[in-house]
């Protein structure tokens, strides 16, 4: 039941912008979502080209990112939707957004949940794991930012708990997508991080790659988030096979770039 399987999400070009979609979420008629790439925007290198992060590249970087964001909303037919963007501080803080016309300040927040239409939830990434959770029965969506710290703090578990508490959701009605992020191939970590991650799942060794050649240990962050969800009873998790660091020509990668790069986004919207 807890086996992890990685699916090849194909790149789709929508009006000049390259995007990837979870095949599982794409089947849901009441849900729109997308995971962006670095292709199709106006940002110059090293942030080129479809940077959506407003905190990189100074004032002109911010202006380009906002233009790219508006273009994305137009392409996805979300222009009339309010947009909620969280500050993202590697916490396990999840905010429920019930009033699109009166959004709170989301500074120290890494997860967003809503039951409302006309609200787009968006988070930014450059190697960390984007996770979208959807309750098909109650039509509730959540989106989460899980780097190693967020994963160790089980932000997706906190998110599902918030959905259950606030809306009476049941995990058996939930499906999830784990988007493009750094893979074990590119992610050796120190022992303390490995221990904290291991404590969150059953059979953690099956989600750690140990390489004798360089004595490294490499946690599968995507797989650990998926297993945290499956352990809660989430019905199905679609895991993206793309490694952002291996494919830094397609995706922004903090590690592959040495730190100076743009941000892709994951977004979700209830129709
Ligand atoms: Zn890789």
């Amino acid at each position: 039941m807890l086996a992890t399987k990685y699916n090849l999400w194909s790149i789709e070009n929508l009006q000049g912008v390259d995007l990837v979609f979870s095949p599982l979420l794409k089947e849901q008629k009441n849900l729109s979502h997308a995971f962006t790439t670095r292709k199709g925007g106006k940002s110059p290198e090293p942030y080129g080209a479809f940077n959506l992060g407003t905190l990189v590249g100074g004032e002109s970087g911010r202006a380009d990112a906002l233009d790219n964001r508006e273009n994305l909303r137009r392409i996805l037919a979300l222009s009339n939707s309010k947009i909620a963007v969280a500050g993202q501080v590697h916490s396990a803080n999840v905010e429920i957004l019930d009033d699109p016309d009166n959004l709170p300040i989301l500074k120290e927040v890494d997860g967003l949940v809503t039951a409302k239409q006309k609200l787009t939830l968006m988070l930014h990434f450059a190697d960390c794991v984007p996770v979208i959770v959807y309750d098909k029965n109650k039509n509730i969506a959540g989106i989460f930012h899980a780097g190693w710290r967020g994963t160790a703090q089980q932000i997706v578990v906190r998110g599902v708990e918030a959905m259950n508490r606030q809306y009476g959701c049941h995990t058996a009605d939930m499906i999830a997508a784990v988007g493009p992020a750094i893979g074990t191939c590119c992610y050796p970590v120190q022992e303390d991080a490995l221990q904290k991650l291991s404590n969150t799942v059953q059979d953690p060794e099956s989600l750690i790659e140990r390489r004798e050649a360089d004595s490294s240990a490499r946690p599968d962050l995507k797989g650990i988030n998926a297993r945290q969800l499956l352990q809660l009873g989430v019905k199905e998790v679609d895991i993206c096979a793309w490694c952002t660091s291996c494919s830094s020509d397609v995706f922004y990668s903090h590690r592959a770039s040495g730190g100076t790069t743009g941000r892709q986004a994951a977004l979700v919207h209830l129709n």
Side-chain angles (χ1 to χ4, degrees):
M1 184 190 87
L2 300 180
T4 42
K5 180 171 143 266
Y6 300 86
N7 301 314
L8 284 170
W9 297 5
S10 56
I11 295 176
E12 295 184 34
N13 186 280
L14 268 64
Q15 300 176 45
V17 173
D18 280 359
L19 302 169
V20 296
F21 299 93
S22 154
L24 177 65
L25 294 189
K26 230 183 164 182
E27 291 169 5
Q28 309 304 315
K29 64 176 170 34
N30 293 323
L31 189 81
S32 297
H33 83 287
F35 297 88
T36 69
T37 71
R38 59 190 301 170
K39 302 288 181 67
K42 61 184 291 185
S43 310
E45 293 302 332
Y47 309 106
F50 200 61
N51 171 50
L52 291 162
T54 54
L55 301 179
V56 295
E59 269 310 306
S60 66
R62 177 182 168 81
D64 290 341
L66 290 172
D67 284 351
N68 288 337
R69 184 195 287 181
E70 284 316 303
N71 193 34
L72 177 66
R73 292 171 77 196
R74 186 183 56 76
I75 290 167
L76 296 173
L78 300 175
S79 294
N80 293 326
S81 167
K82 288 273 168 55
I83 189 158
V85 179
Q88 299 183 217
V89 291
H90 297 280
S91 73
N93 300 332
V94 175
E95 191 84 18
I96 306 255
L97 300 176
D98 268 334
D99 184 359
D101 294 322
N102 192 18
L103 293 172
I105 293 167
L106 299 165
K107 216 170 172 185
E108 297 191 354
V109 170
D110 288 84
L112 302 171
V113 171
T114 196
K116 298 288 184 190
Q117 298 165 332
K118 297 184 179 165
L119 180 62
T120 301
L121 310 179
M122 184 163 119
L123 299 177
H124 295 96
F125 301 88
D127 288 340
C128 290
V129 183
V131 182
I132 295 173
V133 178
Y134 179 53
D135 182 309
K136 302 202 288 187
N137 184 40
K138 302 225 168 192
N139 204 35
I140 313 285
I143 189 165
F144 309 99
H145 164 246
W148 85 259
R149 288 183 185 84
T151 305
Q153 294 171 83
Q154 304 188 66
I155 183 166
V156 294
V157 175
R158 302 287 92 82
V160 166
E161 286 170 352
M163 291 167 75
N164 292 346
R165 194 170 54 237
Q166 185 80 10
Y167 301 110
C169 295
H170 299 288
T171 52
D173 297 322
M174 291 179 187
I175 56 173
V178 175
I182 199 162
T184 54
C185 38
C186 298
Y187 197 54
V189 302
Q190 301 296 317
E191 189 57 38
D192 66 320
L194 198 67
Q195 201 51 53
K196 286 174 182 154
L197 292 165
S198 296
N199 290 342
T200 69
V201 286
Q202 298 162 17
D203 189 19
E205 279 303 316
S206 64
L207 294 171
I208 296 167
E209 184 188 335
R210 294 186 186 273
R211 290 194 187 170
E212 275 179 31
D214 62 358
S215 308
S216 66
R218 298 145 178 270
D220 176 356
L221 281 188
K222 287 186 273 188
I224 294 170
N225 279 282
R227 188 164 297 173
Q228 289 176 5
L229 291 169
L230 292 168
Q231 284 177 186
L232 287 176
V234 170
K235 202 169 157 192
E236 196 177 350
V237 183
D238 182 9
I239 310 175
C240 177
W242 286 100
C243 167
T244 46
S245 179
C246 284
S247 300
S248 60
D249 55 330
V250 180
F251 297 99
Y252 296 106
S253 170
H254 186 268
R255 189 159 288 219
S257 70
T260 305
T261 193
R263 300 289 183 275
Q264 52 248 349
L267 59 149
V268 69
H269 177 272
L270 295 168
N271 299 322

